[in-house]
Amino acid sequence: MTKMKAGQALAKVLESWQVDHIYGITADSINNTVDGLYQEKDKIKYIQVRHEEVGALAASADAKLTGKIGVSFGSAGPGATHLFNGLYDAKMDHAPVLAIVGQSATGVMNTSFFQEMNQDPMFVDVSVFHEQVVSAQQIPYVVDQAIRAAYAHKGPAVVIIPDDLSGQDIDFAEFKTAPIYKEQMQTKFDEATIDKVVAAIQNAKHPIMWAGVGLKGATKELVAVSEKYSLPVLSTVPATGVMPTDHPNFMGSRGRLGTKPGFETSQMADLVISVGTNYPFLRFLPDGVKVIQVNNNAADIGKQRDVDLAILGDGKGFLEELLNRKVTIAPTKFLKAARLDKQNWDKWLDTLADDDSEGLPAEAVMRTIKQHADDNAIFGADVGNNTEWAVRQLPLNKNQKFTLSSWFATMGYGLPSGLAGKLSFPDRQVFTISGDGGYAMVMQDLLTEVKYQVPVVNVVLENKVFGFIQHEKLAAKQAPYGIDLQGANWAGIAENMGAIGFTVTDQKSLSEAFDKIDELQKSGNTRPIVVDAKIKNVDPVDTSFMPLDPDQFDQATIDRFKKTYNIFGQPALSEILKDM
């Protein structure tokens, strides 16, 4: 036993869980806890953010990028409520996060003191664990249990600590129970069930596989199964990169953030094998499609759509079972047509990127990032049209990492995710892609990147509008009311905050800016960078429903859709298949 302040013991518990940085803002109701972090400052880096929301979002991004728990803190009252955006992001995306929340000293609790409030009920819905400690001796134990709960249930855990308790001396000995957090699900698959899956693939004319985040870490197996059974592969948007994005069998995603081949192959499919996902767009598949769902959570099976064959188990293990079978299917006409459909789509995006005659296209910005990104780059995407452009073009085909706020879909995620990415992987390139709407919500924390010398490349796509909402207004035939944004000199503001700023308006200035960024990175630059990309305001194609098939739609409908989204050089998948 060693005598120390409870706040320092808390920090030592974090260390035992390999936490090396923590985000937050200190205040009177959490000062003793922060002083405990000071005692362990050589092992845990305190990142002082400028808004607790950014800290909580960064903690969530840490967890998604690393698989390890992310940690943030806030003071009582407003500091606590500012954490909610990040905590709900972690809840919705099943990320293990710990939030340490300050509370007024025990002597003034329940007396209507300044900022004193009953905080525990506030966190009931968002958290997998929420406790307020009642003694100093409890603090390390409760924090340890909170972290275990966050890992076990894949979500946020909250510990509320009255400030006087964390400042008291306690006897502390490090826990003997190992900090186990990597869950290995062992599944023994029934042979007859795997036989049914193989037979279903053999009997299908247009089978596809739909991969989710449950297949992260199984890229090799996914590629091998796709090639062995001639399966076009779609991924959910959060799982972008689980199948190399440049693989000819990868079709992209279905939904508004998807691709033409992603929509068409899934729309034509007669068999869908869904592995490691509870993706909501399964419900929009045509009637009559046979669905096989593999998931390690029984509650998620059949949640989005009634399935023909339910398999409870680990996704990677399931793929390994398929690989062990002696069946091999030669490339089918459907697969070959799907590959050509994807090639046409990629060529179209590239052609859009070439044309800056009416303003800088977002596709050009994405292509330039792709050209300058290393094989292990990290990408953080905000929410909005920027997400569509990012998932359609960013290179996720080697050892890159990608993160976004997928289910909660909160704007403002981009910059915090870049901060987290660079702190967790200091030797990697980190890019964030944000719209001007999302960036403006959190731009104050560019100062955090400046202060801690975090050289993230923050790309701001300014079109002076809430573009994602603009599309919804157009589709609903509503007035474009309340969606226009005031522009700004984002590069100039960045310079004034101590960062490096570039303004780009065409392909030439865009290329020159990224060439200079390359030079800065090679010279050991430690300042964050903001690329202020003044893009033309174009509504990107909505791929959730694409009326292009002449067998299903009249020519007037097809022509109207093509004109709306400037679609050319892309025959319908059905037309490609007929020509095979």
Side-chain angles (χ1 to χ4, degrees):
M1 290 284 185
T2 303
K3 185 77 74 176
M4 67 178 65
K5 300 290 184 184
Q8 184 177 1
L10 183 159
K12 285 187 172 295
V13 171
L14 297 181
E15 291 166 17
S16 72
W17 286 95
Q18 299 180 330
V19 174
D20 60 9
H21 62 272
I22 180 173
Y23 309 93
I25 299 176
T26 192
D28 53 3
S29 58
I30 202 166
N31 276 338
N32 281 317
T33 299
V34 174
D35 190 64
L37 295 173
Y38 170 75
Q39 302 301 323
E40 298 294 314
K41 65 182 183 300
D42 292 337
K43 296 179 180 177
I44 297 181
K45 190 171 187 177
Y46 163 39
I47 305 298
Q48 177 205 65
V49 292
R50 305 307 285 263
H51 196 292
E52 291 91 348
E53 174 191 13
V54 169
L57 286 170
S60 181
D62 271 327
K64 294 179 204 177
L65 287 167
T66 67
K68 297 194 301 183
I69 195 160
V71 187
S72 65
F73 67 82
S75 61
T81 58
H82 285 169
L83 295 170
F84 274 104
N85 221 30
L87 294 182
Y88 269 103
D89 178 73
K91 174 186 176 177
M92 299 291 279
D93 282 355
H94 307 293
V97 162
L98 172 66
I100 300 168
V101 178
Q103 176 60 287
S104 301
T106 54
V108 297
M109 288 176 62
N110 304 322
T111 66
S112 300
F113 189 66
F114 176 69
Q115 290 188 333
E116 187 271 321
M117 55 195 294
N118 185 9
Q119 296 179 137
D120 186 63
M122 293 163 40
F123 295 100
V124 170
D125 180 68
V126 73
S127 63
V128 299
F129 177 102
H130 56 98
E131 296 287 353
Q132 178 170 297
V133 300
V134 296
S135 72
Q137 194 66 46
Q138 276 187 354
I139 289 175
Y141 171 80
V142 173
V143 169
D144 185 70
Q145 292 303 303
I147 294 172
R148 293 181 189 278
Y151 276 124
H153 302 290
K154 298 181 175 63
V158 178
V159 178
I160 302 170
I161 303 176
D163 188 53
D164 60 316
L165 298 185
S166 55
Q168 293 178 13
D169 288 327
I170 64 169
D171 293 320
F172 176 70
E174 294 190 15
F175 301 120
K176 295 179 181 178
T177 306
I180 298 171
Y181 65 88
K182 288 193 174 180
E183 177 185 341
Q184 296 292 331
M185 182 175 183
Q186 300 297 324
T187 307
K188 182 173 177 56
F189 291 94
D190 178 63
E191 292 289 322
T193 300
I194 301 300
D195 288 341
K196 290 179 182 178
V197 175
V198 174
I201 297 172
Q202 290 175 309
N203 293 329
K205 292 182 178 179
H206 303 149
I208 66 171
M209 181 165 285
W210 210 324
V213 293
L215 287 182
K216 283 191 174 181
T219 295
K220 182 179 71 172
E221 291 79 8
L222 179 57
V223 169
V225 166
S226 172
E227 294 174 350
K228 179 179 174 68
Y229 290 93
S230 291
L231 293 170
V233 174
L234 280 73
S235 78
T236 64
V237 171
T240 302
V242 70
M243 179 83 169
T245 50
D246 61 353
H247 192 284
N249 291 5
F250 179 63
M251 299 295 113
S253 299
R254 178 175 172 130
R256 187 169 163 188
L257 307 186
T259 65
K260 175 179 178 287
F263 171 77
E264 291 186 317
T265 52
S266 58
Q267 193 73 4
M268 192 178 285
D270 57 0
L271 171 66
V272 174
I273 305 172
S274 169
V275 186
T277 177
N278 180 30
Y279 205 46
F281 293 103
L282 278 175
R283 69 183 71 178
F284 297 126
L285 291 174
D287 293 336
V289 180
K290 185 174 183 179
V291 177
I292 297 172
Q293 186 176 5
V294 183
N295 203 292
N296 63 6
N297 184 353
D300 284 343
I301 296 180
K303 183 176 286 185
Q304 301 297 343
R305 183 189 180 99
D306 196 24
V307 300
D308 297 273
L309 181 59
I311 302 175
L312 180 65
D314 173 65
K316 183 176 180 179
F318 169 75
L319 297 181
E320 290 171 342
E321 290 289 333
L322 291 180
L323 290 174
N324 288 335
R325 297 306 170 104
K326 294 181 180 179
V327 175
T328 298
I329 299 176
T332 62
K333 286 185 178 181
F334 178 61
L335 176 63
K336 292 176 182 177
R339 287 172 172 174
L340 186 54
D341 202 23
K342 177 66 183 313
Q343 290 172 22
N344 291 338
W345 168 264
D346 289 337
K347 289 177 184 176
W348 177 70
L349 291 174
D350 213 36
T351 303
L352 293 181
D354 288 336
D355 184 8
D356 62 356
S357 60
E358 296 180 358
L360 180 64
E363 289 84 3
V365 181
M366 295 300 106
R367 183 175 65 180
T368 303
I369 295 172
K370 178 178 180 178
Q371 292 168 342
H372 290 262
D374 294 338
D375 287 348
N376 65 351
I378 295 171
F379 304 102
D382 215 302
V383 170
N385 281 350
N386 64 283
T387 323
E388 294 187 49
W389 290 312
V391 297
R392 289 171 181 173
Q393 287 180 272
L394 289 179
L396 290 154
N397 52 3
K398 296 291 191 304
N399 296 313
Q400 303 95 339
K401 288 180 177 287
F402 174 71
T403 182
L404 78 164
S405 176
S406 54
W407 282 78
F408 192 49
T410 177
M411 293 175 66
Y413 183 84
L415 187 144
S417 68
L419 176 64
K422 197 64 178 175
L423 288 170
S424 292
F425 300 95
D427 297 327
R428 294 197 187 189
Q429 271 184 324
V430 178
F431 297 90
T432 68
I433 300 96
S434 303
D436 46 338
Y439 180 74
M441 292 181 176
V442 293
M443 61 179 289
Q444 76 283 334
D445 271 274
L446 184 64
L447 289 169
T448 305
E449 293 184 349
V450 171
K451 178 174 181 175
Y452 296 103
Q453 299 183 330
V454 184
V456 177
V457 179
N458 299 286
V459 179
V460 182
L461 304 172
E462 185 196 74
N463 58 0
K464 299 182 181 178
V465 68
F466 286 125
F468 207 73
I469 308 305
Q470 174 182 251
H471 173 82
E472 295 170 354
K473 293 281 189 180
L474 290 169
K477 295 181 171 55
Q478 295 178 356
Y481 183 66
I483 62 172
D484 59 304
L485 295 173
Q486 177 65 44
N489 180 1
W490 306 109
I493 295 170
E495 293 279 355
N496 289 340
M497 296 171 82
I500 299 169
F502 295 97
T503 300
V504 300
T505 57
D506 54 20
Q507 186 67 63
K508 182 176 182 294
S509 57
L510 176 65
S511 297
E512 290 173 349
F514 271 83
D515 286 343
K516 291 177 182 176
I517 290 170
D518 284 346
E519 294 174 5
L520 286 166
Q521 291 177 330
K522 290 175 182 176
S523 66
N525 169 61
T526 59
R527 296 163 65 194
I529 297 169
V530 171
V531 178
D532 182 358
K534 309 293 189 184
I535 63 170
K536 60 181 178 180
N537 181 25
V538 174
D539 184 26
V541 59
D542 182 347
T543 52
S544 60
F545 182 72
M546 303 189 75
L548 295 172
D549 186 350
D551 293 340
Q552 300 183 54
F553 304 98
D554 61 82
Q555 196 60 45
T557 299
I558 295 171
D559 291 343
R560 186 165 53 249
F561 186 80
K562 286 184 174 181
K563 182 179 179 181
T564 299
Y565 293 112
N566 190 26
I567 293 175
F568 52 86
Q570 297 191 80
L573 176 60
S574 62
E575 295 176 295
I576 299 173
L577 194 55
K578 287 176 184 177
D579 291 338
M580 284 288 170

